[in-house]
Amino acid sequence: MKKRRDQGVRRGALVLSMGAAVAMAGAGCEGRPQSATNARVSPAVTGPAVVEIDLSRGAPESSQGGLFGSPRGRTHADLVEVIGAANERQTTKGFFVKLGTAGLGLARASEIGRLLATIRKAKKPVVCHADDLGNATLLLASVGCDRVWVSPAGGVESVGIAAELVFGHRLLEKLHVEVNFLQVGKYKGAEEPFTRDSASPEARQSVEGALRGLRSSWLSAIAEGRGKPGLADIVEDGPFSPEEAKAKGLVDEVGYADEAREEAKKLAGAERMSMRFGGGASPEPVSGGIIDVIRVLAGPGSGGEPHVAIVPATGAISMGGAPSSPLGGSDGINERDLGKTIARLEKDESTKAVVLRIDSPGGSALASDLLWKRLMKLRGDKPLVVSVGGMAASGGYYMACAGTKIVAEPTSILGSIGVVSGKLAVGKTLDEIGVTTETIAAAPDPVKARRATYMSPFQGWDEPTRQKVLGSMQSIYDLFVRRISEGRGMPVEKVGESAEGRIFGGVEAKERGLVDELGGLADAVTLARKLAHLPDDAPAEVVGEGSGLLDLLEAAEDGEAGAAQESRAAKAARQAAVDALLPEVGALLPEVARYLGSMAPFLSGERTLTAMPFGLIVR
């Protein structure tokens, strides 16, 4: 896949002479690569090489600009691109994958493992080294690596799959906080984190069912990848010491990364390493033609050769963007920005198909529906393939069902078709510490007066208000089910069998008709090319936020200040500090925030959500 890069142009610099534009783009832009005679290639050593992939800091779904964000060039889409491009290079004779103590999600680990397995089948050796192997990285290594190494002081922490649910009922009760949450869908579990000390039978049944599906896929993939069926009975008995893991056949060798690297070179018959992903990765060739400069500056919609556009959609869904994180930046899908991207891609004649990469627990019901409408319009004009990463739940699935086809991993989580609304009221809490509130309403009728403050943080809902809110939620739930029916071409009754807030692993979701194919991002791109009648080597470009001059002009029209855009240099400096001091925390926190943030749109004023009420992080 070829990637369209964010140019890092400040929003205030709107008037550019052609000379200035060319100079700026030549210094920091990567366009669509041209022929070898046209390309400006960085000096490089030639000859047989082992490609090194460093996953020790992970490969998240999207680039994020916060304090613990990940820079461009290190996302999952980048990794898929790098592996494919490196495998096609004639000088590539093998791969070395450094896992470190990486914390990857099961869905991404599954796809990376399959991509590496394809390289193994082409008789190019793949050697992997980890300091510690966990559930996901063991899956990756088992499926994708000919030889698996682990550090002498490390181990294999394959301990089975589980999800932990957090309940704050007793704390809220001690603080006298009134809980006002309603749900449509008996498996949704929206109130439970606030009103119970453990999961209800319905919520437990839903979560257990999804986890059983993930476990089955996980165990079978490890056993088949290692070619040892008996491993399925052993894997969950960890943690294993390095020597024990080797004795049981989970790894092949115990040693350090440099030793494993030397083995990779020996098996490949190569003397040099070529770092292509992670710290110190070599840049790919950049194009130098004026057409590429103009195309990249203009962004989507500027024309060019026929291609597939890949659009990342990660995090909680909201109308205007997820609330800012105290750690800096924000993460999420907002209707305004994603809607503009969809509209531009629809008009872009060179974009022949779109792959929407979703990893979302849901969010705003309104934003989800508006984006569904935009996506259905796009689908009417060109193929729209949805690729599901770790999760397409609730509002995430609301968007996904607009796809011409949906592709998900066996270890993806899908469903949670239901609706949540509510608030926490702290009036009694304040009263306990000597703070009182008084409401003065315009309406003389007491019922109407209370309704005027139904979203007040100081008082709870009376029964008439609860019934009114519930009626509104039922209307949105019915709309949700109809949208899925229309998007998937399924009868409403059939959708209802998988609704009510249930969640499913990818395999069961396919059996229920919620998914068309099992696979990853690369499979989705291949399918998109096929549906658009494009050749197998047609380029695929990742469309990111702020990727072109049109974004700058639109931002100016909207009155957004240029100072609000953090400079590229500042982001790079902050990222360097995080990489040096807190790499593990830096890789983990964005994922935690994303999966626990499905209810965050409430903080932005959204009152009805199609969102996962539990934060599920499955390792």
Side-chain angles (χ1 to χ4, degrees):
M1 292 180 287
K2 300 182 180 76
K3 184 172 181 180
R4 185 183 315 237
R5 301 287 188 184
D6 180 354
Q7 305 311 306
V9 184
R10 293 189 66 84
R11 288 178 172 171
L14 299 178
V15 182
L16 300 173
S17 67
M18 180 57 68
V22 172
M24 177 181 60
C29 303
E30 290 185 18
R32 197 176 293 147
Q34 300 291 316
S35 64
T37 56
N38 236 359
R40 174 170 57 81
V41 183
S42 303
V45 179
T46 58
V50 172
V51 169
E52 181 163 346
I53 304 293
D54 185 354
L55 296 179
S56 58
R57 292 172 185 162
E61 287 289 353
S62 62
S63 300
Q64 300 158 26
L67 175 60
F68 293 107
S70 52
R72 290 181 179 273
R74 292 191 190 172
T75 67
H76 179 72
D78 294 315
L79 177 59
V80 172
E81 173 189 358
V82 164
I83 292 175
N87 187 38
E88 293 173 4
R89 206 171 281 115
Q90 290 185 353
T91 55
T92 299
K93 301 302 179 183
F95 277 72
F96 173 67
V97 182
K98 182 181 178 183
L99 294 168
T101 56
L104 295 172
L106 284 173
R108 275 171 279 154
S110 296
E111 178 165 25
I112 298 167
R114 286 198 310 275
L115 292 173
L116 295 173
T118 301
I119 295 168
R120 291 174 62 187
K121 291 177 182 176
K123 305 302 181 182
K124 296 178 182 178
V126 180
V127 176
C128 296
H129 182 277
D131 292 322
D132 269 310
L133 284 167
N135 288 343
T137 47
L138 178 61
L139 169 64
L140 184 160
S142 299
V143 173
C145 306
D146 292 290
R147 300 276 292 169
V148 182
W149 288 63
V150 67
S151 288
V156 177
E157 296 190 6
S158 56
V159 292
I161 290 176
E164 291 186 308
L165 310 181
V166 179
F167 299 86
H169 168 234
R170 282 184 291 171
L171 174 62
L172 295 176
E173 197 173 53
K174 288 179 180 178
L175 297 175
H176 305 286
V177 175
E178 294 182 77
V179 177
N180 297 269
F181 271 92
L182 300 174
Q183 66 185 48
V184 177
K186 64 181 180 180
Y187 296 91
K188 193 70 176 175
E191 285 190 352
E192 295 185 16
F194 311 105
T195 61
R196 297 177 61 93
D197 296 318
S198 62
S200 67
E202 294 83 2
R204 176 176 289 275
Q205 178 186 343
S206 179
V207 174
E208 283 180 346
L211 293 179
R212 279 195 297 269
L214 268 62
R215 175 180 180 268
S216 176
S217 298
W218 175 64
L219 290 175
S220 61
I222 291 172
E224 291 171 13
R226 296 291 292 169
K228 300 175 181 179
L231 282 183
D233 299 323
I234 298 172
V235 171
E236 295 172 298
D237 292 336
F240 302 100
S241 68
E243 292 76 15
E244 187 182 8
K246 181 180 177 181
K248 292 183 178 296
L250 293 170
V251 302
D252 299 296
E253 292 292 344
V254 178
Y256 297 100
D258 57 348
E259 297 173 300
R261 192 179 285 109
E262 288 303 313
E263 182 186 53
K265 289 196 290 185
K266 181 178 179 181
L267 292 175
E271 293 297 325
R272 69 184 184 93
M273 303 296 296
S274 176
M275 175 69 79
R276 289 292 168 180
F277 187 89
S282 303
E284 295 291 334
V286 297
S287 58
I290 185 64
I291 298 300
D292 279 322
V293 172
I294 296 173
R295 180 187 295 129
V296 172
L297 283 174
S302 60
E305 66 178 301
H307 65 280
V308 175
I310 301 172
V311 181
T314 305
I317 304 167
S318 64
M319 286 298 296
S324 295
S325 162
L327 299 173
S330 65
D331 179 33
I333 303 165
N334 72 78
E335 190 276 334
R336 176 182 174 277
D337 289 347
L338 182 55
K340 284 183 178 181
T341 298
I342 295 168
R344 289 202 301 272
L345 292 174
E346 184 184 356
K347 296 174 184 177
D348 183 7
E349 295 182 359
S350 66
T351 299
K352 301 301 182 183
V354 176
V355 173
L356 182 68
R357 174 70 173 184
I358 292 179
D359 189 1
S360 173
S364 164
L366 175 59
S368 299
D369 188 65
L370 293 175
L371 287 169
W372 177 90
K373 180 66 174 177
R374 288 180 180 270
L375 291 167
M376 288 293 287
K377 188 171 185 291
L378 174 66
R379 160 178 152 175
D381 185 63
K382 56 193 69 177
L384 171 63
V385 178
V386 172
S387 170
V388 180
M391 181 181 294
S394 214
Y397 189 75
Y398 203 132
M399 291 170 53
C401 74
T404 310
K405 297 288 183 180
I406 301 177
V407 180
E409 292 286 351
T411 51
S412 298
I413 293 177
L414 300 101
S416 191
I417 302 166
V419 178
V420 177
S421 185
K423 68 173 184 177
L424 299 176
V426 297
K428 293 181 179 179
T429 307
L430 295 176
D431 187 65
E432 285 291 314
I433 60 174
V435 178
T436 59
T437 62
E438 180 179 0
T439 301
I440 301 175
D445 182 272
V447 174
K448 292 181 179 179
R450 191 170 182 85
R451 187 68 46 78
T453 57
Y454 94 104
M455 287 312 297
S456 164
F458 302 122
Q459 55 184 303
W461 287 342
D462 58 10
E463 190 55 33
T465 299
R466 292 177 66 87
Q467 292 304 314
K468 193 73 175 179
V469 172
L470 191 59
S472 174
M473 293 169 60
Q474 184 65 51
S475 174
I476 292 173
Y477 176 80
D478 293 341
L479 177 65
F480 191 173
V481 172
R482 292 199 304 272
R483 294 305 195 217
I484 296 172
S485 173
E486 182 179 348
R488 298 295 297 159
M490 296 169 60
V492 168
E493 297 76 17
K494 183 70 174 175
V495 176
E497 295 174 5
S498 300
E500 298 277 356
R502 298 177 183 89
I503 58 174
F504 312 100
V507 174
E508 186 175 359
K510 184 175 184 293
E511 294 170 352
R512 290 173 171 268
L514 300 178
V515 167
D516 296 292
E517 295 185 15
L518 296 177
L521 179 59
D523 301 294
V525 170
T526 298
L527 179 58
R529 289 188 181 116
K530 181 180 178 181
L531 294 175
H533 306 290
L534 291 171
D536 293 343
D537 61 350
E541 299 184 351
V542 179
V543 180
E545 294 181 4
S547 59
L549 184 59
L550 292 178
D551 288 316
L552 306 181
L553 296 173
E554 287 170 357
E557 290 173 359
D558 291 339
E560 295 184 8
Q565 190 80 331
E566 187 177 24
S567 73
R568 210 176 200 183
K571 287 182 180 179
R574 294 204 307 173
Q575 185 61 44
V578 172
D579 286 348
L581 299 175
L582 297 168
E584 293 83 5
V585 176
L588 178 62
L589 284 182
E591 285 199 35
V592 173
R594 182 163 68 251
Y595 285 105
L596 299 184
S598 63
M599 306 292 273
F602 273 129
L603 303 177
S604 298
E606 305 290 345
R607 298 310 177 198
T608 307
L609 301 183
T610 49
M612 280 280 291
F614 295 111
L616 294 181
I617 303 176
V618 181
R619 294 290 185 195

